[in-house]
Every structure is written in structure tokens, then in C-alpha cells.
Amino acid sequence: MRKVVSRQQKNQKNNNQTFLNAQPSLFKQVCVIGLGLIGASLAQAIKDNGLSERLVAVDRHAPSIEEAIKQGLLEAGSSTLSEVVAGSDLIIIAVPVQAVQAVFMDIKQAMDSGQLASDCMITDVCSTKTNIIDAAKAVFTSLPIGLVPAHPIAGAENSGYHARRATLFANHSVIICELPTTNYVAIAKLRLLWEAVGAKVMPMEANHHDAILAHTSHLPHLLAFNLVEQLASHDDNLDMFRYAAGGFRDFTRIAASDPKMWHDIFFANQNAIVSALDEYGVYLQTMRQLIIDKDSTALMGLLGRAQAARRHFGHMLASTPYTDTSAMSASYIITPSTTVSGTITIPGDKSISHRSIMLGSLATGVTHVTGFLEGEDALATLQAFRDMGVTIEGPDNGNLTIHGVGMNGLKPSKTPLYMGNSGTSMRLLAGILAAQPFDSVMLGDTSLNKRPMERVAAPLRMMGAVIQSTGHSGTAPLSITGRDTVGKPLQGIDYELPVASAQIKSCLLLAGLWSEGTTTITQPEVSRDHTERMLSAFGYPVTVDGNRISVEGGGTLVGGDIAVPADISSAAFFMVAAAISQGSELTLTQVGINPTRTGVIDILKLMNADISLSNNTHVGGEPVADITIRASNLVGIEIPEHLVPLAIDEFPVLFIAASCAQGRTVLTGAKELRVKESDRIAVMAEGLQTLGIECTVTEDGLIIEGKGTGGQDDQINNSQPVFGGGQITSHHDHRIAMSFTVASLRASEQIIIEGVETVNTSFPGFAELANQVGMSIQVEDTSI
Ligand code: S3P
């Protein structure tokens, strides 16, 4: 696996390096007090990075000092501060928290006697912060202007000078408390020091730091020590330890760390730890009771929620997709191939998967889902409903069991709801949340946070919703005020959609379920109707009159079984793959052919594609069929505008088909493509041009000069490459990445596609399936 360093990291490093080069060392003399694991590791990192001209240390343990001098780490050392501190411009206190006040007294003395300047920088590495500030207040008449309390969130089970590692802080966070009394130069220099040793610096108030650390570090350590103590105290403790399996070992790993240090921390952060412990007691009692009551649904809900949250919070913090956090960036390296064949099953429909979670959660009774798409977008919806207290078992091989809570059963989430990359989740949920009694906040990843949300927020406000798009320009995060605060329910509206968008339509229809009166949505063109179909399947009356769709508020949903058909939007990549490559024939089994989604078939047929449907049947209220597609000579067309909403997600791959067609293809009326996961008109044009295709971007579409050579139908000419090779950036848009993969079937050289990790949002397993039918994709992790 090739590892690359992100541009941002490189810049950061370069900036720091420029600063460090400009002045040879950041400090003249750093004095480290305490050569334990953290102190010695930091000293080593300072030495290795040339951050100080001189390095001295104070430690009661003479052998550590002697060894550090002998090894060239220190210029001088002593057990007494006054012997070495003179001339230091930074003091790093790395002693146990309880010993810090005595160190401050020594420092004060050194300042009073003129050994140290009064603006000398003083920092610490202790795990608690308010007591450090209190200790300083007790010693100094006013807080020194060089004092910057800090806490590197890094450690290891081994302690002491010998355990030191210069890399201990690399990619770890360091919290810095920027006190109002501190000189800003001191803050800036400390930040530089930590960044130079590879840490990420975060400012935080001391009180907040202590409360957070009590929960995230101090409580887990306390519990680990306590669990070992509990087992050790048993009469049969030998057996207990002998048979203690992985769980005990994993859970108690941190109980091997320094007892004295933890003793001190527990006292130093007494209040915050006691309150975290009390809260823990309440949770423990709840779980105890669930077990006594054999409350299987509630216990599954709790365990499932916790398991998913454990996985979820990393992504949420980093605003990354859900799959493997290390795979924050991946590339496809594709060797051209010429033909595809086989019979394959495409994963479940994304739109229907989202709606199955939403309606299943709001229904009464249990809903079983099969064929659920375990892609990141649908998983974001699933997690959101778990966060709102719904028990959902699975997903297990596409199977889910949703224990519906009814129309009024959702609970407020304790954290903002994280929608990842999924516009459908955020827009449809906006309608549901606007009607709930409680407040909510929704966040997305960096791409979703750029997409327009006023298109749902504005009409929701007309219904009486209080909703703010708090991003730069009508974008997420969305903040929604609950009806309990607003004081009255939503009101039905008669709304004309400005664009044919199923997401806006669905959002407003869902809000209409809780609204007083009728909600009627008129769409300019037909858009996908899965919401309407599934509402009806769950027993909720929906009136459809041409392009006008209405619901009455106040009804209920009844849970049932949902079989999710294969996603035609995902199938489209394979349809185009077979259509453009010589001698190809692919059959895609049981694909959803809802007439509001089959624009891609209609457009490909207009382009002379050879597509046939068989085994037509119905699955969960949706029509499905096997789709067989064979190679043919495609021709360029003017795409009828009424087909645009019916193929809205398929245009990226249709542009690949158009490039292989004979003659020009013209798309108009597709402005919506500019506000998808990327600006799909601009990004596709850029990629097509890279691969040697002539195309012209228009305001609402694209004109592509196809390079196909045509020929009689019995004389299929699609063997000649139409694309060159090159490096394509997908702009982290899954459909762009998959479309250019398909282009490799008519490419003369290797195609590299960067930013393919988002393929998992809609099509987990895409590369494997593509390779299975004859393509040649190598997936490369290019994460930092
Ligand atoms: C979707 C609707 C479409 C589509 C999206 C899924 C849905 O968006 O692009 O991938 O599930 O309702 P718009 O409604 O914004 O066109």
C-alpha cells in the first residue's frame, strides 16, 4: 500500500519547518521537570527536532539524569531546580499532579532571585487542569504571563525514562488552556512546539477539559482498576485469571498503568470524576434492570446503539465516510479491458433502503427488511434512528428488524445526528424532525455540508417549522426547534416544487404526516415515487392526482415486510459497461424497474442500446425484472427533458455511453446535476476532457462529441478505444468514480481515479463485482 501525506499536512509541516528554519531553535533552553514517560518523551522529541539550543532537566531519580546526560539528551540535570534552571525560556512540568504546587514554588523562587525571567514560559503535561491553575494561583500573586497549562492525550502502559519515545505525540491531540492572563506569544510558541513534534493542538477551557477527561479517560481507568480488583478479590482468583479471556484483557489493559499517577488524578479531578461515576451508576442500574426484566427489545436497542455509536463517533468527529477510517482516501488503478460478461446481483436500492428505516421506525409493530443496502448513506439513516431510540437489529446480510416506535415514539438524540455524505438522509429527516416535539441538529461530511438545504428548509418554514440552515449559504448544519417549544403543530400546505426533486417532495410529505390538514405537493415533472409507494404499503393513505400528491396529517403507519430490489442506479454502471464494450453480455438480476427510475433504460434504448427485460415481477410494492444488455453501436441523441428526473443519478455514466456513441449527445434541463455530491456537469466534463473527449459545458447540461464509429448492427464496431488514459479526480463523488471506471472498457491506457472511498456510500463491493465480470481494477489506499 502506498502511503501519501495529505497536502494540508504537508503545508502545515512546511509552514512549521519554514518558521523553524528561519530561527534555528524555538527556545534557548528548555527545562523539563520530571523525566518520566511523558517528560522524557517530550525531551527526546525536542532534542530530535532541534527545537531548543539547550535541554536541561530536574528529576529526583539521579540515575535517569545521569543516563540522559550520558546519552547526550541533556546538557545538564539535577535533583534541584535552582541548580540548572537559570537562563531557561521554557519550563515543562511533567511531574504527578499533586507535586505541581511545590514545583511552582521553586519556579517562583527562581524568578524572585533573577535566575528566571518573569515572562519565562511555563507549561505542564498533567491530566487535570483546574487544579494546576489553582496551584499556580496559590503560589504566584498573579498568574505568570508565560503560564500555558496543557495536556497531551498520549501515553503508554510502560512508565519511566526508559519507556520514552520521541514519536509518542505524533498524531495525538494536545489540549492547551489559553488563559486570559497569558501572553499570546507564549500560546503561539507552545502551539508551534507541539505541532513540531507531530501533535494536533486544540484549545479548551480548563473546566471543560476536566469534565470531558473525567468521562473519557479517568472513569475508564477507574473502572479498569476496579474490575481487576473485583476479580483479584475472589477466592478463586487463580481460576478467574487463568480463564480470563480477551474481553477481560482488553478491558483492563489500562489498569497496568502507574497507580500513583492515577491516585493523584482521581483526587485532583475529584468533583468531575464523582459526577461521571454517579452517572455511570445510573446506566449500570438500567442495564441490570433490563437483564432482570428480560427486556430483550430494550437490551438489544441499548447494545445495538452502543455498538453502532462506537463505530460512528470516529467518523462523525473526522467528518469522514463510514467505511474504514484509515481509508479516508483511496484510488482505483484500472488497466483497460475490452469486454464484460456474466450474471450478477446488484446491491439493494439506496432510496428504498433509506425509506424502509424511516417508515419502519415510525410504524407500529415490527418491520423486517431484506435486501437492505449496507452502504454508508443508508447506514447514516439507520444510525440516526438508533440515536433517536429506535431498536434496530442488523444489518446482517441485508436483513434488518426494526422495532417501530409509532408516530410519536421518537426520542431526542443526545448528540447531533450525523448524516455523513447522504443528502437523502438529511433532506427527508428534516421533514420528520421538523414535526417532532424535541429540538434536533443534523450534520454532514464536508461534501454534504456544501449542498443546498434551503430547498427543504424554506417550504418547511411555510408549514410553521422553525429550522435554521446554519452553514455558510443555506447549508448544513441544520438546527431544528421542536414543536414543544414552538407551541403548535405544523400546518399542511399546497406547495409547488420549483424543481422535480423526490427529496423535497418526500421531505414535505413526511412533515405532512404530523401536520394539521392536507399537505399537497405539485411537481413540475415526475420524480421517483418510493415515498408514496411505501407510505401506501404501510397503510397510510396517499392521494396521487397526476403530478399532485397529497397526504392528510394524523394517520398511522403499520409495520410489515419490505424486500428491497436491486438499485437501478447502481445497475446503470454495468448496463453502460456491457453496451459499450465489444462482445459483452450481462444479466443483472431482479433490478427495481419502478417507472420513475427507468429513464436510464429509455435513454440507452434511444441511443440504440440492446436491452431486454425478463422475469418481471413485483417485490414489496415495486416492479422488478432481470435486465440483459448486450454490446451495440450506440448513437448520439438529444436527451428528452422529461426523462431527466427519471435518470437523474445516471447521467455521469450516460456521459460515458455518449462518448462511445457515434455523433453528438446533447443534455439540457439538468441543472440539478450541479448540486449533487459534486457539480456533476463540471466534474464529468473535466474528466472526459482529460481522457480526450470533446465536450461543451452549458448552464443546464453538457454537449458530448461521441467518438464511436457506428456500423451495421451485425457488425459491432465498439472495439476501438475512445478514451485515452490519465488521472481523474472524482471530487469524492461515488458516481463519478464508478462512471470513469466503466470508461476503462474503451480506454487505450491506464486510468487512475482518485477519491473513490465514497463508492461505499451507494455501492459497497463495486470494484470486486466489476472485476468479477471482466474489468481490472486495483484498489489502492492513499490515506495519510
Ligand atoms: C433521491 C432523490 C434524488 C437522487 C438521490 C436520491 C431520493 O435527489 O438524486 O440520489 O432518494 O429521494 P433529488 O430529489 O434531489 O433529485
Side-chain angles (χ1 to χ4, degrees), residues 185-518:
V185 179
I187 295 172
K189 283 184 81 174
L190 191 68
R191 191 176 261 276
L192 273 173
L193 173 111
W194 278 115
E195 285 172 355
V197 302
K200 285 175 268 171
V201 175
M202 296 187 300
M204 199 184 279
E205 278 200 25
N207 274 334
H208 190 49
H209 167 276
D210 288 357
I212 297 273
L213 268 287
H215 281 90
T216 57
S217 167
H218 308 165
L219 181 65
H221 278 87
L222 184 148
L223 297 177
F225 282 114
N226 200 50
L227 187 65
V228 180
E229 165 71 2
Q230 185 187 340
L231 260 69
S233 311
H234 274 246
D235 291 344
D236 52 353
N237 64 25
L238 266 186
D239 269 352
M240 287 267 180
F241 287 121
R242 187 171 297 129
Y243 300 111
F248 175 80
R249 282 172 203 272
D250 286 352
F251 187 85
T252 58
R253 180 182 58 80
I254 50 180
S257 47
D258 185 4
K260 171 74 175 110
M261 181 177 91
W262 284 105
H263 162 274
D264 287 3
I265 291 171
F266 293 156
F267 285 157
N269 200 19
Q270 189 188 39
N271 290 342
I273 290 174
V274 168
S275 93
L277 203 49
D278 290 346
E279 191 184 318
Y280 182 75
V282 173
Y283 274 77
L284 213 50
Q285 278 309 318
T286 305
M287 201 171 226
R288 180 175 184 274
Q289 204 54 49
L290 294 182
I291 294 167
I292 291 171
D293 298 345
K294 290 210 158 88
D295 186 340
S296 157
T297 306
L299 186 62
M300 265 314 288
L302 189 154
L303 299 176
R305 235 176 4 257
Q307 183 215 38
R310 173 77 173 75
R311 193 167 166 256
H312 174 72
F313 62 66
H315 301 287
M316 183 163 162
L317 283 174
S319 289
T320 57
Y322 279 89
T323 23
D324 184 10
T325 24
S326 67
M328 279 166 53
S329 187
S331 299
Y332 287 161
I333 319 267
I334 312 166
T335 309
S337 48
T338 52
T339 187
V340 285
S341 62
T343 298
I344 52 173
T345 303
I346 301 288
D349 187 280
K350 185 151 77 82
S351 294
I352 300 175
S353 294
H354 280 298
R355 287 155 173 87
S356 71
I357 299 282
M358 295 178 189
L359 299 195
S361 296
L362 294 168
T364 50
V366 174
T367 292
H368 294 287
V369 185
T370 52
F372 178 78
L373 172 69
E374 294 183 35
E376 294 175 1
D377 280 10
L379 290 174
T381 296
L382 191 154
Q383 178 62 30
F385 280 88
R386 278 195 168 129
D387 288 346
M388 292 191 285
V390 181
T391 295
I392 303 173
E393 293 173 54
D396 177 13
N397 239 334
N399 296 315
L400 281 180
T401 303
I402 308 169
H403 298 264
V405 295
M407 294 299 286
N408 300 313
L410 293 181
K411 299 202 180 79
S413 167
K414 296 202 171 97
T415 53
L417 298 166
Y418 179 59
M419 299 301 147
N421 194 251
S422 175
T424 310
S425 309
M426 189 171 278
R427 296 204 179 111
L428 269 59
L429 262 166
I432 294 173
L433 295 175
Q436 300 309 309
F438 49 81
D439 298 348
S440 316
V441 173
M442 282 193 284
L443 314 170
D445 71 2
T446 31
S447 152
L448 181 55
N449 284 346
K450 287 187 199 138
R451 296 180 63 189
M453 289 299 148
E454 274 301 312
R455 51 176 50 202
V456 289
L460 282 172
R461 278 186 211 113
M462 293 177 194
M463 300 175 81
V466 178
I467 174 167
Q468 268 181 295
S469 44
T470 64
H472 283 306
S473 42
T475 47
L478 292 184
S479 171
I480 298 171
T481 305
R483 306 318 299 168
D484 277 357
T485 311
V486 179
K488 54 177 187 212
L490 296 176
Q491 303 296 310
I493 46 164
D494 195 328
Y495 185 68
E496 251 182 62
L497 290 182
V499 283
S501 160
Q503 291 183 353
I504 312 179
K505 173 181 66 176
S506 302
C507 163
L508 302 177
L509 289 176
L510 289 170
L513 306 185
W514 287 270
S515 300
E516 279 183 347
T518 312

Side-chain angles (χ1 to χ4, degrees), residues 556-577:
T556 51
L557 297 160
V558 183
D561 292 350
I562 302 176
V564 181
D567 197 328
I568 190 166
S569 297
S570 299
F573 300 106
F574 289 94
M575 288 162 67
V576 172

